Amino acid sequence: MLLAALGCSRPQAHGAAAHASSERVLNVYNWSDYIQPTVVADFEKEYGVHVNYDVFDSNEILETKLLTGHTNYDIVVPSGAFLERQLQADVYRKLDKSLLPNLKNVDPEVARAEAIYDPGNQYSVDYTWITSGVGYNSAEIKARMPDAPVDSLDMIFKPELVAHFADCGVTLLDSAEDVLQLALNYLHIDPNSTRKEDYERAEGVLLAVRPYIRAFDSTEYMNGLANKEFCISMSWSGDYAASRARAKAAGVDVNLAFTVPKEGANGSFDAFLIPTGAPHPQAAHAFLNFMMEPRVIAAVTNYIHYANDNLAANAFVDPQILNDPSVYPTPEVEARLYESAEVSPALERIRTRTWTRIKTAK
């Protein structure tokens, strides 16, 4: 167990911890493959709370449930671009920060960035932060094109280049937001554009390469890169790093690399929030505070390979991960990142219809 190994077991004391034992259940809704396996069991053991842990694979699925109401979830994990709109819809309850003493560990710079979506950081606790880019199998790419522009989006958006790699497997994320914004940025258009004609141009770029795309996928591509099923995958930074670690653990000889393209890419975060009407708010606060324990969140980063913003955790993060610029970007990489803005219902409809046409090639 993680707590035993780390020496983290503590008696229940004040605040959320004192009340969590009266709430014997906690319902969590998180992304798939997005937590260190023993963390939930360790929380259950320490607080005497049974956790029902469900997973999803897109922000849209989570948002639909939240806006429908009565989800019965105590903790959910949306991405930053969806947070502002959801807060305006009044689907979250404010945090009781007196129950979260471990907030002191949060990097103030990241908290200020998150406050763009959640003014005053009243509702959200950052979980991980994310960079999008392209993961690829260096040997397979070199074999097909020795001078492939691995630092550029040309490698996935120029049909005459993508065609070279179709046989070894090219995938894009199954995320309208991420893919369409990347295409807009590639066209030197504001990735947060609200203009229908801009999305038509992005659609043209993607339909041109659609014949060479093997899959739109946001989960299985991690294994696909690791087992050589795919050779190029639009990827989130932590997923690429996890793919590399899985290949190494399985003894697969594959040289994976990752680039944040020179044209730019999305930088974002996922956060913990407590829905309005959560049936177990005290247990939810206890869980959030537990996740901000430096050794706990470091163990999560060491497993899922996504960066966290807990400064006290850096001492416990695997140095290979902490010093990997694809996970913890350098200032030079950060300068190439853009952030997603709030999306109106009208723009969401444009995105959804555009994305459907791209995926179905109709």
Side-chain angles (χ1 to χ4, degrees):
M1 283 294 193
L2 178 65
L3 288 173
L6 299 178
C8 287
S9 184
R10 300 172 302 282
Q12 292 188 12
H14 56 82
H19 296 285
S21 61
S22 65
E23 296 182 346
R24 297 290 186 180
V25 175
L26 179 71
N27 302 318
V28 178
Y29 198 35
N30 195 2
W31 294 83
S32 59
D33 288 321
Y34 209 36
I35 199 166
Q36 201 272 356
T38 66
V39 161
V40 170
D42 292 330
F43 173 78
E44 291 177 318
K45 181 178 179 180
E46 181 165 356
Y47 290 98
V49 173
H50 173 71
V51 177
N52 297 311
Y53 191 91
D54 295 336
V55 299
F56 58 90
D57 60 9
S58 79
N59 276 294
E60 289 78 9
I61 290 174
L62 169 60
E63 184 167 87
T64 297
K65 290 196 175 187
L66 287 169
L67 296 180
T68 301
H70 307 294
T71 66
N72 206 41
Y73 288 116
D74 301 298
I75 299 285
V76 296
V77 191
S79 299
F82 286 72
L83 182 53
E84 186 175 5
R85 181 174 65 192
Q86 291 168 359
L87 286 173
Q88 291 176 355
D90 197 29
V91 296
Y92 297 120
R93 64 180 291 156
K94 285 186 178 181
L95 299 172
D96 183 345
K97 294 186 179 182
S98 70
L99 304 180
L100 301 172
N102 283 329
L103 279 172
K104 67 181 185 293
N105 296 323
V106 172
D107 184 336
E109 290 298 321
V110 177
R112 278 191 286 272
E114 189 173 321
I116 295 173
Y117 304 94
D118 175 16
N121 305 102
Q122 298 182 80
Y123 295 86
S124 60
V125 170
D126 184 70
Y127 181 36
T128 60
W129 37 287
I130 305 155
T131 304
S132 61
V134 180
Y136 59 94
N137 182 320
S138 298
E140 296 291 342
I141 300 308
K142 186 175 181 180
R144 287 161 177 78
M145 182 179 285
D147 59 347
V150 294
D151 65 340
S152 172
L153 289 172
D154 285 346
M155 198 161 70
I156 60 173
F157 286 156
K158 271 195 173 180
E160 62 269 30
L161 298 185
V162 185
H164 286 274
F165 314 118
D167 69 302
C168 61
V170 180
T171 72
L172 297 179
L173 290 171
D174 190 4
S175 168
E177 175 195 358
D178 289 276
V179 178
L180 289 172
Q181 283 195 328
L182 201 66
L184 289 168
N185 196 62
Y186 178 67
L187 292 168
H188 306 289
I189 298 171
D190 178 2
N192 290 304
S193 173
T194 60
R195 291 158 41 98
K196 185 174 184 290
E197 54 267 39
D198 290 340
Y199 284 87
E200 290 172 350
R201 290 184 62 192
E203 180 180 344
V205 168
L206 290 161
L207 285 177
V209 299
R210 180 65 182 85
Y212 311 112
I213 305 301
R214 183 176 297 179
F216 293 86
D217 175 73
S218 299
T219 54
E220 292 304 315
Y221 77 92
M222 289 191 292
N223 291 326
L225 282 173
N227 64 24
K228 302 184 183 181
E229 181 182 353
F230 306 137
C231 62
I232 301 179
S233 291
M234 182 185 171
S235 173
W236 291 306
S237 52
D239 285 358
Y240 144 76
S243 295
R244 190 176 58 181
R246 289 179 184 184
K248 182 178 180 181
V252 178
D253 182 16
V254 57
N255 185 12
L256 297 178
F258 180 87
T259 186
V260 175
K262 63 184 181 182
E263 296 90 348
N266 178 250
S268 185
F269 64 89
D270 290 331
F272 290 120
L273 288 99
I274 303 174
T276 300
H280 313 106
Q282 297 291 341
H285 280 82
F287 184 79
L288 296 187
N289 199 59
F290 176 79
M291 292 301 297
M292 287 186 284
E293 286 285 344
R295 290 178 182 265
V296 172
I297 193 62
V300 171
T301 290
N302 290 340
Y303 183 79
I304 68 172
H305 293 254
Y306 277 89
N308 69 75
D309 72 340
N310 189 309
L311 292 177
N314 287 350
F316 309 107
V317 173
D318 182 338
Q320 287 190 327
I321 296 174
L322 190 64
N323 297 316
D324 184 344
S326 68
V327 180
Y328 285 85
T330 63
E332 185 272 330
V333 171
E334 286 185 350
R336 301 204 296 269
L337 302 178
Y338 55 79
E339 295 179 345
S340 298
E342 178 191 3
V343 178
S344 68
L347 180 55
E348 190 61 55
R349 284 193 294 273
I350 292 173
R351 278 186 179 176
T352 300
R353 291 168 182 170
T354 301
W355 190 236
T356 299
R357 290 193 296 269
I358 292 166
K359 290 183 65 176
T360 60
K362 294 180 181 179

